[in-house]
């Protein structure tokens, strides 16, 4: 009986370890999410409020009441001309949802204007650009200006 119990515990632990996966979501190509890349530098492809971007089995629910909301933007600035990122404007929100039965434990964001001055995320350390916790969903509120997301790495 003791051996059976130890086997069951070992199986459970190995299953939990195998279930931990890190996924890097890049917002540098709008076509991955079913949108067209902006045709010219300084142009954008708008994402309507109520839309859901899906990468593998992770959903990014987009919402905003007015203003620019969310856009895939192709930079016209000299230092990053032609690069695409996901831009989120003040008073917009993105809810990131884990696949059914899974929990997020860490999220790391790369981009510009992704500090607590621009974003409100419960449990987020804007110095390290890292959220830690145990949640089925993470809510990102844009509270000032514009946040530029390049990647979000989720575990």
């Amino acid at each position: 009986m003791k051996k059976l119990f130890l086997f069951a515990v070992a199986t459970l632990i190995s299953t939990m370890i195998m279930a931990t996966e890190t996924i890097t979501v890049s917002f540098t190509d709008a076509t991955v999410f079913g949108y067209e890349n902006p045709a010219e530098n300084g142009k954008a492809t708008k994402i309507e409020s109520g839309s859901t971007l899906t990468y593998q089995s992770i959903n990014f629910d987009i919402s905003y009441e007015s203003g620019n909301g969310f856009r895939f933007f192709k930079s016209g600035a000299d230092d990053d001309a032609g690069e695409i990122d996901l831009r989120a404007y003040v008073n917009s929100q993105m809810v990131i949802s884990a696949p059914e039965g899974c929990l997020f434990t860490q999220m790391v964001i790369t981009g510009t204007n992704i500090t607590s001055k621009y974003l409100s995320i419960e449990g987020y350390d804007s110095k390290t650009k890292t959220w830690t916790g145990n949640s089925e969903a993470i809510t990102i509120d844009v509270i000032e200006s514009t946040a530029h997301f390049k990647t979000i790495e989720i575990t």
Side-chain angles (χ1 to χ4, degrees):
M1 186 68 155
K2 184 177 178 182
K3 287 182 182 180
L4 180 60
F5 174 74
L6 291 174
F7 175 75
V9 169
T11 301
L12 177 63
I13 290 171
S14 66
T15 301
M16 290 171 59
I17 291 170
M18 290 181 350
T20 302
E21 180 180 359
T22 300
I23 296 172
T24 301
V25 182
S26 174
F27 296 104
T28 59
D29 181 1
T31 64
V32 170
F33 302 97
Y35 287 83
E36 289 186 23
N37 284 322
E40 299 176 35
N41 291 357
K43 300 295 182 185
T45 300
K46 187 172 184 167
I47 303 167
E48 295 298 326
S49 185
S51 297
T52 299
L53 305 178
T54 301
Y55 185 83
Q56 295 183 10
S57 53
I58 299 172
N59 288 327
F60 298 82
D61 296 317
I62 304 297
S63 63
Y64 53 93
E65 290 187 26
S66 62
N68 290 324
F70 281 80
R71 299 165 185 248
F72 288 104
F73 189 83
K74 190 171 194 176
S75 180
D78 292 337
D79 57 342
D80 61 353
E83 292 185 18
I84 296 171
D85 59 19
L86 177 65
R87 298 206 176 173
Y89 296 83
V90 67
N91 298 322
S92 59
Q93 182 181 79
M94 177 166 53
V95 178
I96 307 169
S97 301
E100 188 173 332
C102 296
L103 295 174
F104 294 134
T105 57
Q106 181 173 300
M107 174 182 70
V108 179
I109 303 172
T110 65
T112 307
N113 297 347
I114 54 173
T115 64
S116 58
K117 177 180 178 182
Y118 302 94
L119 302 176
S120 175
I121 310 169
E122 188 174 327
Y124 183 66
D125 181 343
S126 67
K127 289 181 180 142
T128 63
K129 315 293 189 278
T130 303
W131 170 90
T132 54
N134 249 336
S135 183
E136 295 174 346
I138 303 167
T139 300
I140 300 174
D141 289 302
V142 182
I143 56 175
E144 183 163 327
S145 191
T146 309
H148 306 198
F149 297 95
K150 286 284 188 191
T151 64
I152 296 180
E153 182 179 278
I154 303 172
T155 303

